[in-house]
Amino acid sequence: KRVCTNDLPFFTAESPLKPGRWYWRVTTASGFVTPVRSFVQTASAADDCTGPELHCAPRFMSDAAKLYGFTVGSDTVRVTARIVLSGGGETGLDARCRGTVAGVRPPQGGWPIGVSRLLLTAEDKRGNTARATAWVSHAPNLPQVRWGGEGEAVTVGGRPFELVALYGVDREDDLDRVRALGFNCVHSYARDGAVMNGRIAAFLDALEARDMKTYVSFHREDVRRARYSRIAEKIGFYLPRRCLLAWYLSDEPETHDFRPVPPKVFKRYRDFVRALDP
């Protein structure tokens, strides 16, 4: 029995486990008990079967030709990287390490616009491996959005933007009337769980043609269940658009629908979004 005090779903034994079948289960702080599960440990307790350290973080790359850097354990002898292509499939990238510092060169032509998924692997001299997913974002010439204090204007690309926003607008046909009423920014929950498609792209085109902005929220269950692949896909779709004003992180995260987003989960998600779109 051991109390896990951190928020990561990993457990490290204090000493090597002897060969044989081992059984385990988890009891949460609320009293929920998981079913009993088991695994077979076949290696000698004297063998080193621990993979090398591999630490990576999501990152916005302002320069499309810049290396993506990450760190590995000092016993790492080789690193590899693959990028997941937009149409499915993967392709290898040039990856190197020296000491604890590792880097990945972008594909030919530079980092793709949007958000890319990198599959990283580190290997030590005993053949043990560690794997991780890294997210890399890139979008050129984005106007910097700055938020002032109370009563101060938002600035976009150094110019004041007097924000007047409206909920519930998701039809291109409504934009001229909305603009005539004095609104210059819209939001709709209808896009939270929507598949990123041509219809939404056309709506964003219509916003940009009218010099209007939008702020974009994420599906609550994607946040609560830490579905970072879906979150990253949405960031990649909207990130290059000049009509994107802000990310709307959550509505009432602590109470809504009796499915709260715990603060530490919310903070990790907020930091993920901020790292890919600073």
Side-chain angles (χ1 to χ4, degrees):
K1 295 181 67 175
R2 180 174 174 179
V3 176
C4 183
T5 56
N6 62 38
D7 60 345
L8 297 176
F10 300 108
F11 171 79
T12 301
E14 295 178 347
S15 58
L17 300 178
K18 297 178 179 179
R21 180 172 292 276
W22 290 81
Y23 298 85
W24 63 280
R25 66 182 179 186
V26 174
T27 302
T28 69
S30 63
F32 174 77
V33 181
T34 68
V36 175
R37 297 180 172 89
S38 68
F39 62 92
V40 176
Q41 205 294 89
T42 59
S44 165
D47 292 344
D48 181 357
C49 301
T50 303
E53 295 182 28
L54 194 167
H55 302 286
C56 58
R59 190 170 306 139
F60 177 83
M61 310 296 283
S62 56
D63 183 347
K66 188 176 181 179
L67 273 68
Y68 173 81
F70 59 102
T71 60
V72 293
S74 57
D75 57 344
T76 301
V77 295
R78 189 169 74 99
V79 295
T80 60
R82 302 186 67 79
I83 186 170
V84 179
L85 304 176
S86 57
E90 305 169 7
T91 188
L93 298 179
D94 181 23
R96 310 281 177 85
C97 68
R98 177 179 296 178
T100 61
V101 178
V104 177
R105 294 187 183 279
Q108 186 175 7
W111 296 113
I113 294 176
V115 177
S116 300
R117 181 183 179 188
L118 303 184
L119 307 178
L120 307 177
T121 301
E123 181 179 339
D124 64 20
K125 60 184 179 182
R126 292 167 297 278
N128 299 316
T129 59
R131 294 178 175 83
T133 296
W135 302 96
V136 176
S137 59
H138 173 66
N141 305 318
L142 291 181
Q144 181 67 46
V145 178
R146 296 191 181 279
W147 299 82
E150 184 175 355
E152 297 181 24
V154 181
T155 62
V156 180
R159 298 169 51 198
F161 181 78
E162 298 292 342
L163 173 61
V164 186
L166 182 65
Y167 261 7
V169 180
D170 199 45
R171 295 194 333 147
E172 184 179 338
D173 294 344
D174 294 331
L175 290 181
D176 286 332
R177 182 169 48 164
V178 169
R179 194 73 174 96
L181 289 170
F183 296 98
N184 57 12
C185 183
V186 297
H187 167 267
S188 174
Y189 286 119
R191 294 198 295 268
D192 282 11
V195 176
M196 303 298 101
N197 56 25
R199 184 183 67 83
I200 296 179
F203 181 79
L204 301 180
D205 289 340
L207 285 176
E208 292 173 352
R210 293 162 175 80
D211 197 25
M212 297 177 70
K213 304 293 182 184
T214 187
Y215 56 104
V216 179
S217 50
F218 298 88
H219 196 277
R220 171 173 296 273
E221 287 302 292
D222 290 344
V223 176
R224 197 169 69 89
R225 298 181 181 275
R227 296 168 176 159
Y228 285 105
S229 292
R230 289 171 60 95
I231 294 171
E233 179 186 10
K234 192 163 194 175
I235 294 173
F237 181 83
Y238 282 94
L239 177 65
R241 305 304 301 242
R242 298 184 68 83
C243 63
L244 176 63
L245 182 71
W247 297 106
Y248 182 21
L249 293 180
S250 184
D251 174 68
E252 302 174 3
E254 76 285 4
T255 60
H256 194 70
D257 290 344
F258 303 100
R259 296 195 300 275
V261 180
K264 57 190 175 184
V265 173
F266 186 87
K267 181 180 183 299
R268 192 182 306 123
Y269 146 69
R270 178 205 66 186
D271 292 346
F272 181 80
V273 176
R274 180 174 289 167
L276 292 178
D277 183 9

